[in-house]
Amino acid sequence: VQLVESGGRLVQAGGSLRLSCVASGRTFTNWRMGWFRQATGKERLLVARITWNLGTTYYADSVKGRFTISRDKAENTVYLQMNSLEPEDTAAYFCAADNGSDTWPHSGKGTQVTVSS
């Protein structure tokens, strides 16, 4: 499984960004795709996840109402639309894939999002 993220950059508070993750290496039927983030000196945390088949979503409380996760099955791509960005959203964002084990064994190299105040 290969996961390649893109879209991270410097943005002002209140702005928006869309992260993309291109997934390859297998079919993802019955898998879950997720976005994690890790701020400097802090642990990696799940931000949002989506089931590949039905598109069922979950969001961390800190991003609920501001972030939207989606997937394009035809393009094998997962997106994270981030609106109303806050300085606290500054982190490296990682795309990850889970086959149901809840261990998220596959992750990309990450893309940096920096939100200035």
Side-chain angles (χ1 to χ4, degrees):
V1 174
Q2 292 81 42
L3 304 168
V4 180
E5 306 96 333
S6 63
R9 62 175 176 86
L10 173 65
V11 64
Q12 287 191 330
S16 297
L17 278 179
R18 188 177 79 159
L19 305 182
S20 300
C21 170
V22 178
S24 63
R26 62 159 296 128
T27 57
F28 294 95
T29 305
N30 297 321
W31 283 52
R32 299 184 299 176
M33 309 299 285
W35 285 95
F36 289 72
R37 70 184 181 187
Q38 186 169 19
T40 302
K42 297 190 177 181
E43 63 179 332
R44 188 174 297 192
L45 298 174
L46 178 66
V47 172
R49 66 169 186 252
I50 187 167
T51 60
W52 192 258
N53 289 356
L54 297 180
T56 305
T57 58
Y58 161 85
Y59 298 94
D61 287 344
S62 57
V63 306
K64 202 171 294 183
R66 300 188 298 123
F67 290 12
T68 302
I69 188 171
S70 61
R71 86 277 186 251
D72 184 327
K73 290 183 177 181
E75 297 294 328
N76 259 24
T77 301
V78 182
Y79 301 100
L80 185 68
Q81 177 67 43
M82 306 187 294
N83 298 328
S84 302
L85 283 162
E86 304 167 352
E88 293 74 22
D89 295 317
T90 295
Y93 283 73
F94 299 87
C95 178
D98 181 71
N99 59 0
S101 65
D102 208 26
T103 60
W104 300 92
H106 304 287
S107 178
K109 294 183 178 181
T111 186
Q112 179 66 37
V113 173
T114 302
V115 184
S116 63
S117 56

